[in-house]
Amino acid sequence: MLSEELLAILACPACKSKVKLVADRWLVCQNPECRRKYPIKDGIPQMLIEEGDKYVDVSEEELAKLEP
Ligand SMILES: [Zn+2]
């Protein structure tokens, strides 16, 4: 689980928008034109554009069922 403090300073590396925690293991960019999602693996957010690119078309509901 990420701390509120860490979440507050994390930003999408592609567009620098804020991210939202989903299902305790995904960080979802809040920019509707970006929609990249970043997995949290072993407690470490994978804030890489190429990681986020993989999940652009995956809905938040689907993310909750996926294992990063
Ligand atoms: Zn973004």
Side-chain angles (χ1 to χ4, degrees):
M1 182 67 183
L2 292 182
S3 71
E4 293 287 321
E5 291 81 18
L6 180 56
L7 199 55
I9 58 168
L10 287 173
C12 172
C15 70
K16 313 298 182 204
S17 293
K18 290 232 166 222
V19 294
K20 181 180 84 172
L21 185 66
V22 170
D24 273 353
R25 55 182 193 265
W26 296 92
L27 292 168
V28 177
C29 178
Q30 295 298 280
N31 178 352
E33 292 178 4
C34 176
R35 308 193 330 271
R36 289 180 174 86
K37 287 116 183 153
Y38 303 90
I40 300 169
K41 293 178 183 168
D42 299 324
I44 301 166
Q46 309 293 305
M47 304 303 283
L48 300 168
I49 292 173
E50 50 266 40
E51 280 291 324
D53 279 347
K54 296 180 196 169
Y55 307 103
V56 165
D57 293 322
V58 181
S59 73
E60 289 186 17
E61 282 152 33
E62 289 173 85
L63 282 182
K65 298 176 207 155
L66 279 179
E67 287 293 328

